Amino acid sequence: MGKAWGFGKHGGPEVQEFFDRPDPVPGRGEVLIRVGVAGVNPLDYLLREGLVPGLDGGRPFPRVLGMEAAGTVLALGEDVDGLGVGDAVFGFALTGGGTYAETTVLSADNTARTPAGLSAAVAATLPVAGTTAVDVLDQLDLPAGATIVVNGVGGGVGLAVARLACARELRVIGTGSAAKREHAEAVGVRFIDYAAGDVVAAARELVPDGADGIVDLVGGTSLRTVARLARNARNVIAVGDASVSDLGGRFVERRLDRENLERSARLALDGVLAPVISAVHSLSDAPAALATVENGHTAGKVVIEVA
Ligand SMILES: NC(=O)c1ccc[n+]([C@@H]2O[C@H](COP(=O)([O-])OP(=O)(O)OC[C@H]3O[C@@H](n4cnc5c(N)ncnc54)[C@H](OP(=O)(O)O)[C@@H]3O)[C@@H](O)[C@H]2O)c1
């Protein structure tokens, strides 16, 4: 039996609740873990609101929040290769276990060993933000010296994209609110405060001929505004807003497999994917952790330290 935090029905923060649940039994291709640290993501509250039925449809309530975690393997289901009891691991809870909990099940194919020297807190940020950054930049596939604009650079994915892009010797312009300037400039980003004036005009002062790529983490009107900076519409990649295809751009193609997790862990060990963890909450403080992300202006990553 373990403590978990989730929701009894779809809705706003008022449907959230703590409850006790028996340790989940790992099914075929799953591992049961003791959660060390859970990452907090916008997708968590979108699932609570019932806005992503393809990802949680049909599971009984109450449902546990959270998609990513690092922890220690307690038991293996059938057909699990490459992981053993006692291993430190990190990965995705894709089969409905949730990760804001003392124990949960991860999908073994979407879980990797946490290498020695990598903290559980950093490992817990890699499944969502780390591998998304890898995927976005692989798909853009721009040469050193090219310029990208990262729209929403100060959040979990934005700072990861910026760090990885700088390591690939891309020139990075990033947009965010004034509070994100310091984080972004520390990574090497030329920062534009979107509240201070016309973002497109400010960016054109830096790249008069436009940018080689746009990575959008904001969506909506902001995406449509910033997309005007792209020299080639196909190199507008959105991570959260699929309507980017209406502009001729692409929605990120995600690779959630172990190989991509291992790759992001190596980049983290090398200091390339070094996340800014702006807040560490306890499980009993999970409501505050998710509220921080739900306000839409997170700096870097927020995590919940469970054990
Ligand atoms: N497809 C996938 O697999 C996948 C994976 C990861 C994330 N996502 C999605 O990608 C999006 C970003 O994720 P995230 O984890 O980075 O979220 P996050 O940590 O909440 O960061 C979003 C950032 O955008 C900034 N922002 C808000 N409005 C802005 C504007 N008008 N212009 C520029 N910046 C603005 C926010 O702070 P400030 O306003 O203070 O600058 C915040 O730092 C979410 O929609 C998420 O669901 C999708």
Side-chain angles (χ1 to χ4, degrees), residues 110-191:
N110 313 101
T111 296
R113 285 208 184 92
T114 308
L118 195 65
S119 72
V122 170
T125 70
L126 296 176
V128 176
T131 65
T132 300
V134 168
D135 290 343
V136 160
L137 290 172
D138 280 359
Q139 281 155 45
L140 274 176
D141 195 24
L142 292 169
T147 301
I148 63 168
V149 175
V150 182
N151 193 36
V153 76
V157 179
L159 283 174
V161 170
R163 273 195 167 276
L164 196 50
C166 289
R168 292 184 182 199
E169 297 180 34
L170 302 182
R171 297 160 70 216
V172 182
I173 297 169
T175 68
S177 68
K180 307 302 186 301
R181 177 181 293 279
E182 203 176 317
H183 291 304
E185 289 184 344
V187 171
V189 170
R190 287 175 296 169
F191 185 78

Side-chain angles (χ1 to χ4, degrees), residues 41-43 46 128-129 132 151-158 175-177 180 194 217-218 222 239-240 251-252 254 293 296-301:
N41 291 289
L43 185 62
L46 297 175
V128 176
T132 300
N151 193 36
V153 76
V157 179
T175 68
S177 68
K180 307 302 186 301
Y194 64 80
L217 306 160
V218 181
S222 178
V239 171
F251 191 66
V252 63
R254 297 287 282 114
V293 171
H297 301 286
T298 316
K301 288 290 299 187

Side-chain angles (χ1 to χ4, degrees), residues 48-87:
R48 184 202 65 214
E49 289 179 347
L51 296 176
V52 202
L55 275 183
D56 72 353
R59 285 191 291 116
F61 292 106
R63 296 178 186 167
V64 179
L65 283 154
M67 294 290 293
E68 64 180 349
T72 308
V73 176
L74 296 175
L76 306 176
E78 286 174 53
D79 292 339
V80 171
D81 293 323
L83 302 174
V85 171
D87 284 352

